[in-house]
Amino acid sequence: MRTSFVFSEVVTGLRRNVTMTIAMILTTAISLGLLGGGLLVVRMVDKMQANYAGKLEVSVLLTNDVSANDKDCTQQPCAGLRSQLEQTSGVETVVFQNRDEGFERFKRIFEAQPELLKLARPEAIPATFRVKLEDPDRTDVIRQAFEGKPGVKAVDDQGKFLERFFEGLNGLRDVALILALIQAFAALLLISNTIQVSAFTRRVEVGIMRLVGATRWYTQLPFLIEAVVAGIIGSVTAVAGLVLFKAFFLDRITRNLTESGIIPPIGYLDILIVSPWLFLVAIVISATTGYVTLRLYVRL
Amino acid sequence: MIRLEHVSKVYKTSTRPALDDVSVEMEKGEFVFLIGPSGSGKSTFLRLLLREEVPTRGRVYVSNFDVAKMSRRRVPRLRQSIGCVFQDFRLLPTKTVAENVAFALEVIGKPRNTIVKVVPEVLQLVGLDGKEDRFPTELSGGEQQRVAIARAFVNRPLVLIADEPTGNLDPDTSQDIMLLLERINRTGTTVIMATHDHGIVDSMRRRVVELSYGKVVRDDARGVYGVGR
Ligand SMILES: Nc1ncnc2c1ncn2[C@@H]1O[C@H](COP(=O)(O)OP(=O)(O)O)[C@@H](O)[C@H]1O
Ligand SMILES: [Mg+2]
């Protein structure tokens, strides 16, 4: 009896106010979708950091002259540079990669982009020392010691590049989360307003309930559940939105980057892992808003 | 059963007390008329019993509830032992007769098998059998008030409170409603009815408590409305 009573009250409540309910659900969904997007970016950054951890290298790129004429690094200045690198403290390994090997590697990475490969010439790829450090953060030592030396064209620090890339991603995440917050605020106001309107339209009914001795539980629960149900529908919509966004948009624009292993792909599993949080946030926010509204603005 | 001790009620928005040092006692099974002109404090009296209002001073007891002092959490228990009927019926227009009555039991968590048993019984008691599937708009005023009485009585309250229940009804229909309230009173239910209908009070010859400007000015065991009013 209890559950069927509350359930039928909730259904009539939501239907009585269809436009408001839809607005409430959509706002909640957009807010949660943005939150979910932010969380997915967080996961992506984490994955990338894990992927690259311990693999980060400093590349010492050699000049065109050296790249063209010293395939095995047996002449000067190449051989000298190699021994200097090997003797620098904190350096774990030094691998020499000549122009041809570099080009093979380039081809492997950009397999998925034949257009790019067509443009590329081996001449554009410098011979490189790939230097692995014991502490990947101490790349400045190498940069300061080797930048500008004869035979060195540039010192390329993957860590710095990744840092900038992460900064970009984190910026994206922050924008998503801020928008999510603003939308959440709008959702909150809508939930509160919907409950107040709902309570007003049902004031006769609630008045009778109070009079015949219904407990607060009975008079208020339908309103609360109404808000929570709308929140849950909102989070389901948000998860569906994320799945559609991934399937029809994200996959397409990031295919090249993910296939070449530069950034990890966002999978349905990631969305699955993020979605319980969206449900939780939706339930907590709608229930809290509902409760506070009933306490402060509705005399039941 | 019901006892008010030096009860005063001053509403925040007014200076004159709606009830002024009222002390009165009513026994179980009594039928009491609460009379007095409009604004004399009858509705306030009844609202205090229901804990719709709290007295400014004094104490209110209903059965074993210390109404003014009890915690808000226990208020539903008090109200479940009091039935209420009003001048304006207060039925839900979207529910049928039977649903309106059942509603009062549903919202206090009564099990369904109890509800399907007692609702037809009480509808028969108030003389509405055969009309259980009608909507309030399909009923006369008297019939609507019968539904309200059925709803108030279905949970077998100790007290039935009626605030001008005949205020919207013609004299004949009013007479029928009074017969019904008498019938309910004979089951042992205390009935307190606020009214300013002379004819009804005079014909029933029951206890009369008269209020004037918030004071009890008369309490007759077998009273009439009074002369010259
Ligand atoms: N909620 C209220 N707020 C302020 N004053 C009220 C309220 N209810 C009743 N009153 C005042 O209290 C007095 C008694 O009213 P009431 O109990 O309704 O009398 P009756 O039912 O006999 O007509 C009146 O002067 C009325 O204006
Ligand atoms: Mg009144």
Side-chain angles (χ1 to χ4, degrees):
Chain A
M1 185 89 272
R2 284 153 198 260
T3 45
S4 69
F5 166 74
V6 171
F7 182 74
S8 73
E9 286 293 295
V10 168
V11 171
T12 34
L14 288 171
R15 278 182 26 199
R16 181 152 21 200
N17 231 318
V18 181
T19 48
M20 199 90 135
T21 306
I22 290 175
M24 186 160 83
I25 289 172
L26 286 181
T27 320
T28 312
I30 292 171
S31 168
L32 292 170
L34 287 164
L35 175 65
L39 292 178
L40 286 177
V41 173
V42 171
R43 280 188 65 76
M44 197 163 108
V45 170
D46 285 351
K47 265 198 209 173
M48 276 181 84
Q49 267 162 353
N51 267 356
Y52 283 104
K55 285 193 221 153
L56 287 185
E57 295 169 339
V58 181
S59 299
V60 177
L61 312 181
L62 303 177
T63 54
N64 206 24
D65 181 36
V66 177
S67 306
N69 301 321
D70 191 359
K71 275 194 170 23
D72 304 316
C73 197
T74 50
Q75 299 159 29
Q76 292 302 341
C78 187
L81 286 171
R82 186 208 293 249
S83 62
Q84 277 173 42
L85 275 170
E86 280 168 347
Q87 278 152 34
T88 306
S89 71
V91 168
E92 207 174 274
T93 57
V94 178
V95 174
F96 177 74
Q97 171 189 289
N98 67 26
R99 171 165 279 169
D100 295 338
E101 290 160 351
F103 189 59
E104 286 309 312
R105 187 171 136 96
F106 178 85
K107 283 203 285 198
R108 253 199 335 276
I109 292 178
F110 291 100
E111 237 164 17
Q113 285 124 305
E115 325 82 59
L116 211 72
L117 286 179
K118 250 181 266 163
L119 293 174
R121 295 275 168 275
E123 294 78 57
I125 310 278
T128 306
F129 285 118
R130 289 165 53 199
V131 181
K132 194 173 221 175
L133 298 174
E134 282 157 12
D135 177 0
D137 289 337
R138 303 206 38 228
T139 54
D140 284 348
V141 181
I142 304 289
R143 178 188 296 280
Q144 273 160 22
F146 288 86
E147 218 161 41
K149 282 212 169 192
V152 174
K153 189 166 119 191
V155 177
D156 189 5
D157 180 352
Q158 286 184 339
K160 280 279 176 316
F161 166 75
L162 269 186
E163 225 164 75
R164 275 203 304 281
F165 189 70
F166 286 148
E167 267 166 28
L169 283 179
N170 286 342
L172 203 70
R173 172 201 65 194
D174 291 344
V175 169
L177 293 185
I178 287 170
L179 288 176
L181 213 66
I182 295 171
Q183 280 290 317
F185 185 64
L188 209 122
L189 293 181
L190 269 173
I191 292 171
S192 172
N193 197 274
T194 311
I195 289 183
Q196 287 176 57
V197 170
S198 193
F200 185 76
T201 39
R202 262 189 275 175
R203 66 196 182 287
V204 178
E205 206 170 318
V206 173
I208 292 167
M209 289 170 79
R210 268 164 38 86
L211 211 60
V212 298
T215 55
R216 271 178 91 90
W217 189 245
Y218 264 81
T219 51
Q220 303 199 342
L221 200 63
F223 297 100
L224 220 55
I225 291 186
E226 212 175 294
V228 172
V229 165
I232 289 174
I233 297 176
S235 49
V236 170
T237 313
V239 170
L242 286 176
V243 168
L244 293 178
F245 179 74
K246 173 192 151 41
F248 293 107
F249 189 68
L250 196 66
D251 281 357
R252 203 169 298 168
I253 62 164
T254 60
R255 193 172 59 221
N256 292 336
L257 291 171
T258 51
E259 280 177 3
S260 54
I262 292 176
I263 62 169
I266 292 193
Y268 291 113
L269 184 68
D270 294 289
I271 296 178
L272 194 71
I273 289 170
V274 162
S275 44
W277 293 105
L278 302 187
F279 284 106
L280 197 71
V281 166
I283 290 170
V284 168
I285 286 190
S286 52
T288 315
T289 311
Y291 184 76
V292 170
T293 305
L294 289 172
R295 267 290 155 112
L296 297 185
Y297 301 110
V298 183
R299 231 197 116 221
L300 289 182
Chain B
M1 179 73 206
I2 290 168
R3 196 163 80 244
L4 276 73
E5 293 176 355
H6 303 290
V7 170
S8 296
K9 173 69 190 176
V10 185
Y11 287 105
K12 283 198 187 69
T13 48
S14 81
T15 46
R16 191 180 70 79
L19 284 182
D20 190 355
D21 194 26
V22 170
S23 295
V24 70
E25 197 163 341
M26 293 161 187
E27 301 300 330
K28 179 165 170 40
E30 259 192 302
F31 194 118
V32 184
F33 284 114
L34 204 57
I35 65 166
S38 193
S40 57
K42 304 182 294 295
S43 295
T44 301
F45 185 104
L46 299 179
R47 279 208 296 272
L48 287 176
L49 299 182
L50 284 165
R51 175 70 185 252
E52 291 241 35
E53 299 286 348
V54 229
T56 315
R57 270 184 305 281
R59 313 199 77 162
V60 178
Y61 300 93
V62 174
S63 181
N64 43 15
F65 296 98
D66 184 349
V67 178
K69 289 264 157 55
M70 65 198 278
S71 77
R72 284 177 53 136
R73 273 204 0 243
R74 294 194 65 219
V75 172
R77 198 93 57 81
L78 166 77
R79 291 187 181 158
Q80 285 177 24
S81 55
I82 302 177
C84 282
V85 180
F86 301 93
Q87 184 172 353
D88 56 1
F89 319 136
R90 298 195 193 174
L91 300 177
L92 294 172
T94 56
K95 292 190 191 294
T96 64
V97 167
E99 285 166 354
N100 263 285
V101 177
F103 183 74
L105 295 175
E106 282 170 354
V107 302
I108 58 172
K110 289 277 185 230
R112 161 154 278 157
N113 49 14
T114 309
I115 295 177
V116 297
K117 192 165 89 58
V118 298
V119 170
E121 282 172 12
V122 79
L123 285 177
Q124 174 148 33
L125 176 85
V126 301
L128 281 175
D129 36 333
K131 297 191 171 151
E132 36 292 87
D133 294 330
R134 298 229 198 144
F135 287 93
T137 47
E138 300 165 346
L139 298 175
S140 72
E143 287 169 333
Q144 288 183 52
Q145 193 61 294
R146 284 168 190 275
V147 179
I149 291 171
R151 182 180 64 192
F153 189 62
V154 70
N155 196 29
R156 303 290 155 152
L158 301 167
V159 188
L160 185 78
I161 281 174
D163 194 350
E164 313 210 20
T166 58
N168 277 341
L169 305 177
D170 62 68
D172 282 351
T173 314
S174 297
Q175 210 53 55
D176 293 343
I177 293 296
M178 291 319 297
L179 288 175
L180 181 54
L181 290 179
E182 257 195 318
R183 180 119 129 257
I184 282 173
N185 177 236
R186 275 201 300 274
T187 67
T189 309
T190 311
V191 177
I192 306 173
M193 171 171 161
T195 184
H196 48 228
D197 187 323
H198 301 215
I200 285 174
V201 176
D202 293 349
S203 70
M204 296 271 292
R205 290 293 172 135
R206 296 301 191 113
R207 179 170 169 195
V208 172
V209 174
E210 181 175 353
L211 289 170
S212 173
Y213 298 106
K215 283 183 185 301
V216 177
V217 294
R218 180 161 68 107
D219 188 346
D220 287 346
R222 293 187 152 271
V224 292
Y225 202 95
V227 283
R229 278 172 219 268

